[in-house]
Amino acid sequence: MNTRSFLTMVAVLSLVGAAATPTAAHEAAPSDTATSGPVIQAGGFDLTRPELVATGMQIPWGLAFLPDGSALVSERATARIFRLRPGVAPALVATVPGVVPSGESGLLGLAVSPTFATDNLVYAYLTASADNRIVRFRLDTPGTVTVIRSGIPKATIHDGGRLAFGPDGMLYAGTGDANNTANAQNLNTPAGKILRMTPTGGVPAGNPFANSVVYSYGHRNVQGLAWDPQGRLFATEFGQNAIDEVNQIVAGGNYGWPTCEGTCNNPAFRNPIVTWTTAEASPSGTAIANNTLFAAALRGTRLWLVPLNGSGGTSGPPTIELQGTYGRIRTVAIGPDGYLWIATSNRDGRGTPVASDDRVVRFPPMTGGTTVFEDTFETNLGWVANASGTDNATAGRFERGDPEATTSGGLTYQLGTTTSGVNCLVTGRLAGTSAGANDIDGGVTSMRSPAIALPTGRTLTLSLRYYLAHLNNASNADFLRVRVNNTVVLERLGAPANTAAAWQTATINVSSFAGQSVTITVEAADASGASLVEAAIDDVRIS
């Protein structure tokens, strides 16, 4: 970051030897993170519906998404990378070799190859013993890394670290001046720059300086990179003692550091489009969606929303959201699920962590209209059991209520918690503590919603929370299905594996049913009475 409050750096170092395993969070944010007051619909996202994805992380920094929608998150001081899925326990997928953390340095930004489906490559910006460098590795063999760019000056502060693939397929990196202000104006060093390179680290066509990966210069500490729909690049940058910045980046642009901090009257330098005081911001990660630039603020403990005007400037003053709600926010990103994701940085020695820190949280998108139908199963809205008359399960039928937990071999197959309130739609509500007690036995159980009249002329989205859990005596003849009228819109099959219950989120476009009267049918099946199968549904919404 920068020299502000750097005396607390030593506290970070004590975390390296105490790297606890992060955990999944299956419910909405608890009281230490919950928002209150009126609904916040900001920048196209509903900030009153936070979903905790992971807790107990150690200074999460990089955040990138795989083609299947899961997220990779790096931990700065531990060199670990976790794979995150909502409602599923974080999975450790890599410990990157050669990382030497100190102060603000360590394992920083991540980027996923645009051709990951064929090459399985992940890129990381890290601090080694002698420099900062960019490496890549196959996710299935993370212990073998290839250095694609080395020699980036390092320090205990001002290391930059953000990585991102641009719409041109090139890899971009934000660096810091490594606590040497002269680096920023020196085109012979990659420090204090934004770099543009090929996926193998080479100099691509179109770079502004011959035989150089330098794309722009005069930067103090760049930790955020994002592109708007027109392909324009924006970056967040830490100032020193007075002014933080958001800049629109152009090839070959000089952004003024150390001569200028913020806006200045020198035509040789490009001015920022937005500035804040350092106490208000200290901006790290950034993302763009819905004509809005989101900037994660560390010292400012908030999320800044900057309205963009489509020509590289702003269409109004920035606004503040989540102020003080999550503490120091390090990273913000837009996931392939359409959600806004953030990661906190409260255990970096400068924050005041709560018990669940550090956290990864996501917020759902607004669907552009009001809610058409919603059922949290706290009251009886008129769902009908066995509506088609074909149910034949001997036990474990779907019912609305407060579930009891079922465990076996240390794993929970029916959760005793819901995603909101105390009730859900569940197959073995009175399961007790015995595995297999009142689970689905040898047949199908179903529940059908009341009729729902869908409007026309808008996008319609069905969202719900669910799980399907089973022992290793299950098979793909066991299932959880959701139908709209007679069309299957969600199907999850069993398998011969011990699969614990974990709430997951499904978001389904149902616009093809616009103008119709529909019902939602939930079905669960156990093909063999000898197997254990449990299923649950909660928070069904069409909006």
Side-chain angles (χ1 to χ4, degrees):
M1 193 200 310
N2 49 50
T3 52
R4 301 193 295 268
S5 304
F6 184 64
L7 291 177
T8 56
M9 177 196 72
V10 176
V12 178
L13 302 180
S14 65
L15 295 173
V16 178
T21 300
T23 58
H26 305 309
E27 302 183 20
S31 58
D32 62 6
T33 63
T35 57
S36 61
V39 173
I40 303 172
Q41 301 177 10
F45 298 93
D46 185 349
L47 302 186
T48 62
R49 291 170 54 200
E51 297 179 12
L52 277 172
V53 179
T55 62
M57 300 202 76
Q58 298 290 334
I59 321 175
W61 213 103
L63 175 62
F65 296 92
L66 295 172
D68 67 358
S70 61
L72 296 180
V73 178
S74 63
E75 290 185 328
R76 188 178 77 187
T78 69
R80 301 185 300 184
I81 297 176
F82 287 89
R83 189 171 188 170
L84 305 184
R85 295 182 178 91
V88 178
L92 178 64
V93 294
T95 300
V96 181
V99 177
V100 182
S102 177
E104 295 172 5
S105 64
L107 180 60
L108 304 176
L110 296 177
V112 171
S113 168
T115 54
F116 180 87
T118 56
D119 61 32
N120 206 238
L121 288 174
V122 175
Y123 293 73
Y125 186 115
L126 61 86
T127 308
S129 59
D131 59 5
N132 287 312
R133 52 184 56 187
I134 300 168
V135 304
R136 70 179 191 177
F137 54 88
R138 289 182 57 90
L139 191 58
D140 53 3
T141 54
T144 302
V145 302
T146 299
V147 178
I148 67 165
R149 179 61 56 173
S150 60
I152 303 170
K154 75 165 195 172
T156 53
I157 55 175
H158 307 185
D159 288 280
R162 197 65 62 182
L163 280 183
F165 276 96
D168 56 2
M170 297 297 108
L171 181 64
Y172 291 73
T175 72
D177 67 10
N179 201 28
N180 180 351
T181 59
N183 281 336
Q185 293 294 322
N186 182 357
L187 290 174
N188 293 317
T189 174
K193 310 295 190 299
I194 293 176
L195 310 179
R196 177 178 181 260
M197 67 198 78
T198 68
T200 57
V203 178
N207 272 18
F209 305 105
N211 302 315
S212 174
V213 294
V214 172
Y215 189 71
S216 64
Y217 65 112
H219 298 292
R220 184 171 182 270
N221 195 14
V222 174
Q223 290 188 7
L225 300 169
W227 286 263
D228 70 5
Q230 291 74 37
R232 287 181 288 257
L233 173 60
F234 294 80
T236 48
E237 182 170 345
F238 292 89
Q240 183 169 5
N241 296 313
I243 302 297
D244 294 324
E245 305 175 1
V246 176
N247 288 294
Q248 184 198 342
I249 304 301
V250 299
N254 185 344
Y255 291 82
W257 178 254
T259 303
C260 289
E261 182 182 2
T263 302
C264 66
N265 296 317
N266 189 330
F269 305 136
R270 294 187 63 87
N271 286 325
I273 65 167
V274 172
T275 61
W276 298 290
T277 68
T278 54
E280 293 174 307
S282 297
S284 185
T286 190
I288 294 175
N290 308 317
N291 298 315
T292 303
L293 181 146
F294 299 85
L298 290 162
R299 185 179 172 192
T301 65
R302 68 195 72 181
L303 189 66
W304 280 104
L305 278 63
V306 180
L308 300 177
N309 63 12
S311 60
T314 62
S315 60
T319 56
I320 299 169
E321 302 295 351
L322 306 180
Q323 184 170 4
T325 307
Y326 296 95
R328 294 163 59 82
I329 303 177
R330 168 72 65 184
T331 301
V332 59
I334 309 299
D337 54 7
Y339 281 58
L340 180 77
W341 292 57
I342 65 170
T344 70
S345 192
N346 292 314
R347 295 192 180 277
D348 62 1
R350 292 172 173 151
T352 304
V354 298
S356 56
D357 276 325
D358 271 316
R359 294 157 284 176
V360 176
V361 186
R362 69 175 192 160
F363 302 89
M366 300 304 301
T367 57
T370 58
T371 298
V372 176
F373 173 82
E374 182 175 31
D375 197 350
T376 61
F377 299 102
E378 298 309 301
T379 58
N380 185 357
L381 296 187
W383 289 69
V384 178
N386 191 23
S388 64
T390 58
D391 288 8
N392 55 7
T394 58
R397 299 179 182 90
F398 268 125
E399 59 181 316
R400 182 181 68 86
D402 183 3
E404 296 177 344
T406 294
T407 60
S408 176
L411 296 179
T412 300
Y413 292 92
Q414 178 166 289
L415 296 172
T417 58
T418 65
T419 60
S420 67
V422 296
N423 294 329
C424 64
L425 194 63
V426 64
T427 53
R429 182 176 65 86
L430 299 178
T433 58
S434 173
N438 207 27
D439 69 317
I440 312 171
D441 276 326
V444 177
T445 176
S446 69
M447 288 283 280
R448 190 182 71 190
S449 75
I452 306 164
L454 299 183
T456 59
R458 52 179 282 199
T459 300
L460 295 170
T461 301
L462 167 65
S463 63
L464 54 91
R465 305 297 297 276
Y466 73 92
Y467 64 77
L468 177 68
H470 48 76
L471 295 180
N472 58 11
N473 55 6
S475 74
N476 61 10
D478 305 320
F479 62 78
L480 171 68
R481 290 181 184 143
V482 178
R483 300 178 185 268
V484 175
N485 287 350
N486 291 320
T487 301
V488 175
V489 297
L490 174 71
E491 181 178 70
R492 296 294 182 265
L493 301 179
N498 293 327
T499 301
W503 286 109
Q504 301 183 61
T505 300
T507 304
I508 306 151
N509 188 317
V510 292
S511 300
S512 61
F513 297 95
Q516 301 179 35
S517 177
V518 303
T519 56
I520 302 169
T521 301
V522 180
E523 303 170 321
D526 179 2
S528 169
S531 59
L532 180 148
V533 178
E534 303 278 14
I537 297 285
D538 204 0
D539 289 344
V540 176
R541 179 182 292 105
I542 298 179
S543 53

